[in-house]
Amino acid sequence: MPYLHAPEDLVQLLGDEPSYRVDQLRDWLYQTPVLDAVDMTNLPTGLRESIGSTLWPFAVEVEQSADAGTTRKWLFRAPDGAAIEAVLMGYPRRATLCISSQAGCALGCTFCATGQFGFERHLEPGEIVAQVAYARAFLRQIGMPGVPGRLTNVVFMGMGEPLANYDRVREAIRRLIETMGMSARSVTVSTVGIVPGIRRLAEEPWPVNLAISLHAADDELRSRLVPINKRYPIADLETAAAAYYEKKGRRVSIEWTMMDHVNDTLEQADKLAAIARRLRGHVNLIALNPTPLSPERASSRLRIDDFAHALEDRGVNVTVRDTRGRDIDAACGQLRVVSGISR
Ligand code: SAH
Ligand code: SF4
C-alpha cells in the first residue's frame, strides 16, 4: 500500500527497481494520481500488476452522488474495518474535499453523528493523504459536470478531531503541501477547540486556515453542547485563535451550527458578535443536520436569516453555508452514522 509509506520512503517499497522508477511512482501517487494502477502508463506491466489492488489503503465500499452529480461521498473501508469517509463538493470554479482525520471521535459533541458513534482509531498520515489523492484522481479521470478537473480546497471537516491526532495530521499536511503541491491557503483545519493543538499549529511553517467550531458564545451553553469546553473554555480558545491570526495573518473562521432555540437567539448573536469582532473572524452559519440521537432540531430558514442579519448589524462578516449532500447524509456531522448502521 504505497500511500502508507512516506513519499521519501517509497524506495523501500520498490527494493531493486532503479531510482527513476521510484520517481515515476511518486509522481503517479502524488502529482497525477490515477484510480487504478493499470493507468500508470510508464511503469512496466509487472510493477503495475504488483501494485494492483493494493494501490489504495482502503476499499471503496460505498460511492454516492447527489446535487446533480456535483456532490460525491465515499465510504472507504480500511483492512482493519475502520470506516473513513470523504465528501467532494464541486462548484463552478472550485472543488472542495472534506476529509476525515480519525475513525469516529472521542469528543462527544451532542449534535454530531460522528461523536455519537464514539472513537475507533486515529487515521495514519497515508490514510488522510490517500483521501485527497483519490478525489484528485476522480476529478481528473471521471470529473463532475461543470466543475474544474482539479481539486482546489481541502477541509478537515469530516470525521474526527484533527488536533486530537496532531502528529499524524501534521505529517499529512506536510505531504499535501510539500509533495502534492497544494498551497497552505487551500487547506483548512477545523477544530472543536483543542487549545494546545492550535498553539502548536501556529508554530508550524504552513499558513493553513483555521476554523473553530464555536456553536455557543457562553461557557454554560457551550459546555453542554461541546463537552471539551469544560477543559478549554471560550476565553482560552479565543486567545489561542487570536494568537493564530496574529502569527499567520490568516483570519480565523468561526463555525456555528444553527440549532432551533438553542444557539440561534439574539442573546447568542450579541455575544458571538463580540467574539467575532475581537477576532476579526468570519462566521459560517450552517443549519443543523439532525442526527438520530441528537435532541436538538435545526433552526428554520427564517431564524437563520434573522441571526445572520443580527450579526451583520453588529459589524460581523457572515456566510450562510449551503447544506450539500443532505440526501446522501454527506453533510457535516452526518458522516458515519448511516454507514455504521449498515455494516
Ligand atoms: N472535529 C472537528 C472537525 C470535524 S466536524 C470540529 O468539530 O471542528 C466538522 C464540522 O461539522 C464542525 O464545525 C462541526 O461542529 C460540524 N457539525 C458536526 N455535527 C453537525 C451536524 N449534525 N450538523 C451540522 N454541522 C455539524
Ligand atoms: Fe468530534 Fe467535531 Fe463531531 Fe465534536 S463536532 S464530536 S469534535 S467530529
Side-chain angles (χ1 to χ4, degrees), residues 58-109:
F58 38 60
V60 184
E61 187 167 299
V62 182
E63 180 179 53
Q64 285 174 298
S65 171
D67 304 315
T70 60
T71 301
R72 261 270 154 169
K73 175 175 119 172
W74 292 288
L75 164 59
F76 303 118
R77 185 75 69 183
D80 69 350
I84 304 172
E85 290 182 86
V87 182
L88 179 62
M89 292 158 288
Y91 303 85
R93 272 187 298 279
R94 64 195 163 89
T96 298
L97 183 71
C98 176
I99 57 171
S100 297
S101 57
Q102 300 178 312
C105 181
L107 297 177
C109 302

Side-chain angles (χ1 to χ4, degrees), residues 168-186:
R168 295 179 191 84
V169 165
R170 180 202 185 276
E171 172 60 12
I173 293 171
R174 185 189 73 81
R175 293 181 199 175
L176 294 183
I177 293 171
E178 294 182 358
T179 315
M180 297 185 87
M182 297 205 69
S183 83
R185 280 150 204 268
S186 64

Side-chain angles (χ1 to χ4, degrees), residues 111-113 156-158 160-162 190-192 213 215 255 257 286-289 291 332-333:
F111 50 89
C112 172
F156 283 85
M157 291 191 184
E161 167 51 44
S190 175
T191 179
V192 71
S213 296
H215 309 310
E255 306 299 311
T257 293
I286 182 161
L288 174 81
N289 293 300
T291 65
C332 287

Side-chain angles (χ1 to χ4, degrees), residues 197-316:
I198 296 173
R199 295 205 180 280
R200 281 179 76 185
L201 195 64
E203 298 306 317
E204 303 291 357
W206 315 290
V208 297
N209 302 303
L210 179 70
I212 55 171
S213 296
L214 196 62
H215 309 310
D218 62 67
D219 283 321
E220 195 198 330
L221 177 60
R222 191 163 194 270
S223 294
R224 190 147 65 75
L225 299 171
V226 178
I228 196 73
N229 187 69
K230 292 180 207 121
R231 174 121 49 107
Y232 306 116
I234 294 173
D236 296 358
L237 174 54
E238 186 185 327
T239 307
Y244 191 86
Y245 174 40
E246 191 157 314
K247 181 100 195 201
K248 299 289 183 203
R250 304 291 294 157
R251 289 197 182 195
V252 173
S253 33
I254 299 172
E255 306 299 311
W256 194 275
T257 293
M258 300 288 294
M259 296 169 232
D260 188 41
H261 288 88
V262 174
N263 65 353
D264 61 358
T265 59
L266 259 187
E267 190 203 341
Q268 286 294 315
D270 250 337
K271 292 179 180 167
L272 168 58
I275 296 171
R277 274 201 313 264
R278 285 196 296 269
L279 279 177
R280 282 188 272 159
H282 185 107
V283 175
N284 288 312
L285 303 178
I286 182 161
L288 174 81
N289 293 300
T291 65
L293 298 175
S294 64
E296 298 87 5
R297 284 169 303 141
S299 304
S300 64
R301 185 71 215 194
L302 185 68
R303 288 183 70 85
I304 295 175
D305 287 344
D306 284 351
F307 193 82
H309 289 137
L311 291 175
E312 277 169 356
D313 289 346
R314 288 159 179 75
V316 175

